[in-house]
Amino acid sequence: MRYSESFIKTNKSAPKDAETISHQLLMRGSFIHPLGAGFYSLLPLGFKTYRKIYNIITEELNAIGVEDMIMPVVHPARVWKETNRFFEVGPELWKIKNRANEDFALAMTHEEVVTDAAKQIISSYKDLPKLVGQIQTKVRDEARARGGLLRTKEFTMQDAYSFDLDEKGLDKVYQKFIKAYNQIFKRVGVETVMVESSVGAMGGLGANEFMLLADSGEDKIIVCSKCKHAVNAEVLGVSKDDAKQIKAGAKCLKCKCDKLELKRGIEVGNIFKLGTKYSVAQKLIYKDRHDQAKPVVMGSYGIGLERLMASVIEASHDDFGIIWPNSITPYQVYLIDINEQKKAEQVYAKLLKAGIEVFYDDREVGPGEKFGDADLLGFPYRVTISSKTKGKVELKKRTSKKAELLTIDQLIRRLKK
Ligand SMILES: [Zn+2]
């Protein structure tokens, strides 16, 4: 892509309401556009990263046997009334009416909808286990949308659902998800800790969250510095507004030591042992080997894609801009020429031909502006062609201060590694 043809306009400063670093950098780099409080468009640069995250998630979940499907965003209230969540959840559940004055709910989550679908498929022990998932829009009427993509009213979520004969089956698939989620976060380029959390509005037998440790996080986590066991502060009754310290005498739930630290985190994934809450309420029943009717045992598993994208920036940036991990960067290379347009055009064509994702800054502006945008947008490599590079090109990593001179062939070999 050429800068001059791209749907991009960078900015030296961020809007006043952008408090978190990811919000500031996503706005300054024109990765996103705020349509209204909590509603964002992903502009082309943002969408490229989004699609890479999408693909990583899909690959890892398909690898543990998740079968992809897609469910509606507008839900007839019937299913939400079956579980009583239509009345219990609170104002986050966005309710609308159609022209006939019938109730509908927007997809805050999809447990009810997937359970309804499962009744068409599952009726016998022979139909179990099953494992399905989707990447689909969620809508939540959050009281305070904040932090750019960190908390929005409309976002995309990967949500998967497991159906098992019993809790033993659920435990097995739950462990598979823990592994797959750790693998997804590793590939996306963030470090997370898994914490015990409260089941919240989902209900059920237990829940875990995957937390990215960051000072800008709104969740408080108590981490044991000895055994690394981590718990969401909510679980221990430490209120969100509580003081900075942990209550005197508090002990690690696992190793019983008192070496507890309070940290802040951003929740990037959560998994729930739903048990039979939904299958009982919605009558998702199977006949076992002895013809006994039993409720299906369920789990649900979710990762918010836009939030994950913002979290990566919270964890990976410097004073000059974003530092994208190679796996989810919009482009691998930011190509710059300083009054060497003809040579740069040749290099651009060769990189494209070699299948390298290259963004060519072909604007007629000074080098300072080009280098500034290269750092702000944060692609892993900057390639510069100037009178000083003498038929070669200068390669600089976003994370390094040093640059090196390479021939075009050497450059392509390096980037293909
Ligand atoms: Zn411990």
Side-chain angles (χ1 to χ4, degrees):
M1 176 55 68
R2 291 167 191 278
Y3 198 123
S4 62
E5 291 171 3
S6 177
F7 200 70
I8 181 175
K9 172 87 45 102
T10 58
N11 209 310
K12 287 197 166 53
S13 57
K16 280 207 180 83
D17 69 325
E19 288 165 12
T20 61
I21 193 75
S22 62
H23 191 184
Q24 291 164 8
L25 293 174
L26 285 167
M27 285 300 300
R28 287 186 52 208
S30 65
F31 290 85
I32 57 175
H33 165 73
L35 181 64
F39 296 95
Y40 287 90
S41 297
L42 296 182
L43 301 181
L45 284 179
F47 187 61
K48 282 206 107 188
T49 288
Y50 169 92
R51 202 146 56 178
K52 289 184 179 181
I53 294 174
Y54 185 111
N55 289 340
I56 289 171
I57 291 174
T58 304
E59 279 170 29
E60 293 299 330
L61 293 189
N62 289 169
I64 61 164
V66 174
E67 199 179 9
D68 300 326
M69 61 186 282
I70 193 111
M71 292 176 268
V73 177
V74 180
H75 304 165
R78 169 184 64 84
V79 287
W80 285 88
K81 287 177 178 170
E82 283 173 2
T83 60
N84 213 36
R85 286 211 295 177
F86 193 74
F87 310 103
E88 282 173 359
V89 165
E92 306 91 88
L93 182 64
W94 197 317
K95 295 166 185 172
I96 56 172
K97 285 187 188 288
N98 68 359
R99 65 181 78 194
N101 207 36
E102 292 164 331
D103 288 325
F104 288 79
L106 300 183
M108 192 186 92
T109 172
H110 281 86
E111 278 78 12
E112 280 84 354
V113 176
V114 78
T115 304
D116 206 57
K119 286 163 75 175
Q120 183 182 312
I121 307 297
I122 299 165
S123 58
S124 153
Y125 71 93
K126 291 176 192 161
D127 302 324
L128 292 165
K130 291 278 188 266
L131 190 50
V132 291
Q134 65 174 352
I135 294 180
Q136 172 65 305
T137 299
K138 298 280 186 278
V139 184
R140 295 178 185 178
D141 196 359
E142 294 281 354
R144 41 182 206 112
R146 71 172 270 280
L149 294 187
L150 286 174
R151 186 173 291 282
T152 59
K153 296 189 181 187
E154 181 181 324
F155 59 97
T156 327
M157 189 177 232
Q158 166 277 310
D159 47 329
Y161 303 90
S162 63
F163 302 91
D164 280 276
L165 291 166
D166 49 29
E167 279 182 37
K168 221 173 93 189
L170 172 60
D171 288 343
K172 222 166 109 186
V173 68
Y174 200 78
Q175 292 304 318
K176 276 193 198 175
F177 270 95
I178 291 174
K179 272 194 190 158
Y181 271 30
N182 280 325
Q183 187 62 19
I184 288 165
F185 296 127
K186 200 173 142 197
R187 280 184 66 185
V188 164
V190 292
E191 272 182 64
T192 55
V193 292
M194 193 178 80
V195 306
E196 278 179 31
S197 62
S198 63
V199 292
M202 294 298 171
L205 306 170
N208 290 94
E209 287 169 334
F210 292 80
M211 290 280 184
L212 175 111
L213 299 178
D215 292 337
S216 54
E218 61 177 13
D219 285 285
K220 288 179 183 162
I221 316 158
I222 297 166
V223 186
C224 172
S225 51
K226 204 171 154 197
C227 76
K228 301 292 167 204
H229 184 252
V231 183
N232 192 319
E234 273 179 60
V235 174
L236 297 186
V238 179
S239 82
K240 288 225 168 188
D241 311 315
D242 214 337
K244 288 182 189 70
Q245 61 204 21
I246 300 158
K247 280 178 193 154
K251 286 192 164 45
C252 171
L253 294 175
K254 203 170 179 187
C255 76
K256 311 289 176 208
C257 80
D258 58 1
K259 305 240 174 334
L260 300 180
E261 287 179 282
L262 193 61
K263 299 201 169 183
R264 286 187 163 274
I266 304 169
E267 177 210 307
V268 288
N270 48 35
I271 55 179
F272 298 92
K273 289 184 179 178
L274 299 174
T276 57
K277 175 182 159 137
Y278 296 86
S279 52
V280 168
Q282 296 182 261
K283 301 190 174 58
L284 172 59
I285 304 295
Y286 72 94
K287 288 272 178 68
D288 74 4
R289 283 170 193 282
H290 312 291
D291 216 31
Q292 296 280 314
K294 286 188 174 159
V296 173
V297 178
M298 292 171 56
S300 81
Y301 314 86
I303 295 175
L305 272 73
E306 291 88 347
R307 176 186 280 208
L308 180 54
M309 184 167 146
S311 304
V312 170
I313 298 172
E314 293 292 332
S316 184
H317 65 268
D318 62 14
D319 290 345
F320 307 104
I322 299 170
I323 301 172
W324 287 113
N326 287 24
S327 59
I328 61 166
T329 182
Y331 293 90
Q332 293 293 328
V333 174
Y334 194 96
L335 176 63
I336 292 174
D337 81 87
I338 302 169
N339 303 320
E340 292 285 356
Q341 203 187 348
K342 222 168 153 186
K343 284 181 193 161
E345 286 287 350
Q346 290 168 358
V347 172
Y348 179 55
K350 279 188 178 170
L351 291 179
L352 285 180
K353 204 176 161 205
I356 291 157
E357 295 171 301
V358 51
F359 192 79
Y360 173 27
D361 191 343
D362 59 346
R363 293 175 298 166
E364 288 179 12
V365 298
E369 208 162 316
K370 293 183 180 183
F371 290 135
D373 273 5
D375 282 344
L376 172 64
L377 299 177
F379 311 154
Y381 297 100
R382 189 184 82 195
V383 170
T384 309
I385 298 159
S386 70
S387 59
K388 284 187 206 156
T389 59
K390 296 196 173 83
K392 292 188 171 181
V393 300
E394 181 199 83
L395 176 70
K396 187 186 120 15
K397 272 190 175 175
R398 176 65 179 82
T399 50
S400 166
K401 285 207 160 47
K402 279 185 285 181
E404 54 184 324
L405 280 179
L406 301 172
T407 66
I408 308 291
D409 289 340
Q410 286 170 332
L411 173 70
I412 288 171
R413 273 203 297 277
R414 180 74 62 85
L415 295 172
K416 284 244 151 191
K417 246 195 264 177

